[in-house]
């Protein structure tokens, strides 16, 4: 349970993800006996997380307080903000989820696929809509600008005052879709009084302003016009504005577009249905329909801008895609910069594409990508408009949070009125003070989507050990008297050792016999065969063998014991001797 100096008159703000990291943005607000969630995102695994597909925040606190959950507010549709919702709904109900139309359309599909659509009610919101959740929270949606359409900042009205959470934002004065940041509404809140501002820190280290999304258009147009053959373009699947520009340029240059990658196909379908992407039907064609077109008439729009293992562009680079092969004359455009942690995967993908003969256009100097997050001047403008009493830098790695706090202090917010927090910190906010009073569980939960199960820390440790040190499998047959029926078989996979295998097998046999001789009576009390604790014996043998093998081999392989025992226990006959019972099949024969 959380260590917490409770103050019932305080608003508690508890981030479960998104701090000191990029991804799995999840935050909860608690007042009295009510909790609302703001976003519930995921992150992607590191190379050391073998077999893990998705990383989620630890939701122990939410599971323990599920009776307090009144609803959720979603700021926008990026995976690091909505990707965890379907998994959380398998563990606790969320009565209602409010969010923008595009995000809710994407979420509904995820919930249907996960079989949890009936665990919540989805409601869409429009700019300046105000929704009540429980008795203590009134939430207003304020249009902002970001790298995805339909993105919002939220003003949360609480009994203590207004808390503004910026969500992800930049201040784009010339947005592609014409939907401008509602700066007027922010200023109105600032005039009335904002108790606390929680603000996006992603680009806190970068001076100046983030360029408008529209600035990418002429650079993409130039690069596309210089492509002599097939044109491949990869970007974030959720970058609706970027996709709109790519489709518009393709039409102007008489190229037909084929979309490859499930997430890209889903996003475009939802965005077209809602009117966020507008193009003629004949501009988009299935892959088989463009195969006979001249190369200079084809544009392939794909996922995989971050080098994701199963994404279309990565599979193409690895020569694993069943329908697309790179050839001389192809041009590949990476209209995205690697997010932290993905750089190696991206450059490896670029190398493989170049080796196969493609010309690859990438890099910040090409002007074919801009960030969706505001730099220092935009962060200053956010503070100037909202004029908060208290300030908490959100969404970013530690150095970003520190730099954002320095920026806020330069804007006149006293150091004692701001705090840098970590995932799991319980921030208590009153009208007069802000402080950290405790902590809730704040680790990670790992998901293996191939088995639809959570990967425990023990399982992950075993996978890591097998990957780094290998595995030794021992098969042993033991009779009802605690004796080996045959010499155990020992198999090594991925284990590096100078010990001869025959010597290791002899040593394993001797060690098993020693353990059976010394400890058999622990598992066969009274000498009654029917009472043998085979499970306990197997566990003991495996632990002892693992300990001994690691000591002898000076390495840390996983050790698995496969123990075979007779099917039926022997029974006593009148003369006191034992004989084995016969199965029905044996009797019949």
């Amino acid at each position: 349970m959380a260590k917490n100096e409770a103050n019932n008159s305080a608003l508690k703000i508890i981030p479960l993800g998104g701090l000191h990291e990029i991804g799995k943005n999840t935050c909860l607000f608690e007042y009295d006996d009510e909790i609302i969630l703001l976003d519930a995102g995921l992150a992607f695994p590191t190379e050391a997380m073998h077999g893990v597909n998705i990383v989620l925040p630890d939701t122990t606190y939410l599971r323990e307080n599920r009776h307090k959950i009144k609803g959720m507010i979603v700021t926008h549709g990026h995976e690091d903000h909505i990707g965890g919702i379907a998994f959380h709904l398998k563990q606790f109900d969320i009565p209602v989820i409010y969010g923008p139309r595009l995000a809710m359309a994407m979420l509904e599909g995820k919930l249907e696929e996960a079989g949890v659509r009936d665990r919540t009610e989805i409601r869409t919101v429009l700019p300046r809509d105000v929704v009540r959740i429980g008795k203590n929270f009134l939430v207003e949606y304020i249009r902002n600008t970001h790298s995805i359409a339909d993105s919002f900042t939220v003003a949360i009205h609480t009994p203590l005052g207004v808390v503004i959470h910026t969500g992800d934002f930049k201040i784009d004065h010339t947005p592609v879709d014409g939907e401008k940041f509602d700066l007027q509404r922010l200023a109105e809140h600032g005039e009335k009084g904002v108790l606390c501002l929680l603000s996006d820190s992603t680009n806190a280290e970068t001076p100046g302003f983030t360029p408008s999304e529209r600035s990418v258009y002429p650079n993409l147009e130039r690069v596309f016009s210089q492509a002599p053959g097939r044109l491949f373009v990869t970007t974030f699947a959720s970058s609706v504005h970027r996709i709109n520009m790519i489709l518009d340029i393709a039409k102007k240059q008489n190229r037909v577009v084929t979309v490859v990658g499930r997430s890209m196909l889903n996003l475009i379908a939802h965005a077209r249905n809602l009117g966020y992407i507008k193009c003629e039907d004949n501009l988009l064609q299935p892959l088989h329909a463009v195969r006979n077109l001249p190369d200079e008439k084809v544009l392939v729009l794909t996922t995989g801008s971050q080098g994701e293992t199963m994404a279309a562009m990565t599979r193409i680079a690895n020569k694993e895609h069943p329908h697309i092969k790179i050839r001389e004359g192809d041009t590949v455009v990476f209209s995205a910069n690697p997010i932290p942690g993905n750089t190696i995967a991206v450059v490896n993908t670029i190398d493989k594409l170049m080796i196969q003969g493609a010309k690859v256009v990438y890099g910040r100097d090409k002007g074919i990508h801009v960030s969706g997050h505001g730099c220092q001047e935009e962060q200053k403008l956010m503070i100037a408009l909202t004029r908060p009493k208290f300030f908490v830098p959100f969404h970013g790695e530690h150095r970003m949070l520190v730099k954002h706090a320095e920026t806020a202090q330069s804007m006149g917010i006293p150091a004692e009125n701001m705090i840098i927090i970590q995932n799991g910190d319980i921030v208590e906010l009153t009208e007069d003070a802000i402080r950290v009073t405790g902590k809730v569980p704040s680790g990670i939960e790992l998901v293996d989507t191939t088995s639809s199960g959570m990967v425990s820390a023990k399982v992950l440790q075993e996978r890591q050990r097998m990957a780094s040190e290998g595995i030794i499998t021992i098969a042993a047959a033991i009779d009802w008297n605690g004796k080996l029926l045959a010499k155990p078989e020992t198999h090594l996979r991925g284990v590096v050792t100078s010990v001869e295998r025959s010597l290791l097998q002899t040593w394993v046999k001797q060690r098993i016999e020693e353990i059976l001789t010394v400890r058999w009576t622990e598992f066969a009390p009274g000498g009654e065969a029917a009472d043998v604790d085979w499970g306990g014996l197997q566990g003991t043998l495996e632990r002892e063998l693992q300990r001994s093998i690691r000591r002898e081999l000076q390495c840390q392989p996983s050790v698995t014991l496969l123990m075979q025992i007779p099917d039926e226990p022997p029974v006593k006959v009148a003369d006191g001797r034992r004989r084995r019972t016969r199965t029905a099949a044996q009797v019949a024969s």
Side-chain angles (χ1 to χ4, degrees), residues 3-67:
K3 178 185 177 183
N4 181 14
E5 303 169 14
N7 181 351
N8 291 331
S9 64
L11 171 69
K12 297 182 181 68
I13 303 172
I14 308 174
L16 298 180
L19 290 171
H20 300 266
E21 63 183 352
I22 300 295
K24 64 183 177 69
N25 299 283
T26 307
C27 186
L28 63 93
F29 296 82
E30 181 175 353
Y31 190 87
D32 288 345
D33 60 349
E34 293 186 338
I35 289 175
I36 64 169
L37 280 160
L38 188 146
D39 292 339
L42 55 75
F44 294 101
T46 64
E47 290 184 358
M49 297 177 180
H50 305 290
V52 172
N53 309 103
I54 289 170
V55 181
L56 301 173
D58 187 332
T59 57
T60 300
Y61 186 78
L62 287 171
R63 293 194 299 269
E64 292 175 348
N65 293 275
R66 65 184 71 199
H67 60 286

Side-chain angles (χ1 to χ4, degrees), residues 17 44 70 88 101 122 181 200 351 357 360 388 498 517 531 563:
F44 294 101
K70 301 303 178 185
H88 299 331
R101 295 189 303 157
I122 290 178
F181 204 133
D200 176 11
D351 280 347
V360 184
S498 59
T517 299
D531 295 331
M563 193 171 74

Side-chain angles (χ1 to χ4, degrees), residues 139-216:
V139 181
E140 178 184 357
Y141 278 80
I142 301 170
R143 169 79 72 190
N144 71 19
T145 46
H146 184 41
S147 56
I148 185 173
D150 233 2
S151 180
F152 287 87
T153 291
V154 291
I156 305 171
H157 299 255
T158 76
L160 299 178
V162 173
V163 175
I164 290 182
H165 189 296
T166 67
D168 290 3
F169 81 96
K170 62 191 276 186
I171 298 178
D172 192 337
H173 297 293
T174 57
V176 173
D177 59 4
E179 297 287 351
K180 296 181 180 179
F181 204 133
D182 192 353
L183 300 177
Q184 176 188 349
R185 189 62 185 141
L186 284 180
E188 290 172 357
H189 280 294
E191 186 69 27
K192 293 176 183 177
V194 172
L195 180 63
C196 185
L197 174 66
L198 314 174
S199 188
D200 176 11
S201 304
T202 306
N203 281 340
E205 299 170 286
T206 309
F209 292 89
T210 300
S212 169
E213 178 69 23
R214 195 178 290 276
S215 68
V216 173

Side-chain angles (χ1 to χ4, degrees), residues 17 42 92-93 108 124 141 155 157 176 208 221 226 254 274 282 288 343 346 370 372 410 468 471 482-483 526 536 575:
L42 55 75
F92 50 83
D93 289 345
E108 188 152 15
T124 58
Y141 278 80
H157 299 255
V176 173
E221 190 173 28
Q226 295 171 352
N254 296 314
L274 295 169
N282 61 3
H288 66 82
T343 302
V346 172
V370 293
S410 74
S468 61
I471 183 171
K483 304 295 183 183
D575 61 3

